[in-house]
Amino acid sequence: MGQDGALQEKAARRAALRNEYWRTMTNPHNHLRGESGGVFDTGLARFQAMRVNHFEHFKPTGRSFKIGMLTVVLPIFVYAKMMKYERDQREQQYRTGQVAYKDRRFKFI
């Protein structure tokens, strides 16, 4: 079976799924069975179930620890150090008189 046969099978599967979707969506008797709305997608249901149960099956590893440290803890720590350094420099300028009182930011705090 060549590439043409695979493409034909894929097209046949898509046509069958398309026909099933339209048959389900245009069925005027869906409301009798309480199925009004959309088509039930088993793939989407499996994906949502996997997302809900992800943390029940999570196993911490060194890689997940590194990712957590690099994406959460380290940026917060670096930003806090930069903010502290900038505030200390500004406070030093205020105390040594390099910045006039009228030019200071946050005068009333």
Side-chain angles (χ1 to χ4, degrees):
M1 179 183 296
Q3 187 176 2
D4 292 334
L7 291 175
Q8 288 175 349
E9 284 184 16
K10 183 177 179 182
R13 280 195 311 268
R14 288 186 65 197
L17 286 171
R18 186 182 309 114
N19 290 337
E20 176 67 22
Y21 173 80
W22 280 112
R23 188 177 63 77
T24 305
M25 287 301 290
T26 58
N27 185 357
H29 304 292
N30 276 345
H31 68 281
L32 296 174
R33 295 189 306 256
E35 296 178 2
S36 60
V39 178
F40 181 74
D41 186 0
T42 56
L44 183 61
R46 283 194 304 269
F47 176 76
Q48 289 173 337
M50 181 269 305
R51 295 292 290 175
V52 168
N53 294 326
H54 173 71
F55 290 107
E56 295 175 11
H57 302 287
F58 176 73
K59 294 180 180 70
T61 62
R63 181 175 183 265
S64 64
F65 175 77
K66 288 177 196 173
I67 290 171
M69 289 297 286
L70 291 175
T71 59
V72 178
V73 177
L74 188 64
I76 292 172
F77 181 76
V78 169
Y79 183 68
K81 290 298 262 184
M82 287 172 37
M83 194 169 12
K84 171 98 170 87
Y85 176 77
E86 190 269 335
R87 285 185 178 185
D88 288 347
Q89 292 298 319
R90 191 172 353 128
E91 181 68 22
Q92 183 64 27
Q93 288 176 348
Y94 292 166
R95 288 180 182 264
T96 58
Q98 296 174 3
V99 178
Y101 183 78
K102 66 178 182 165
D103 298 330
R104 292 184 185 183
R105 294 173 23 187
F106 308 116
K107 291 182 240 192
F108 304 111
I109 296 179

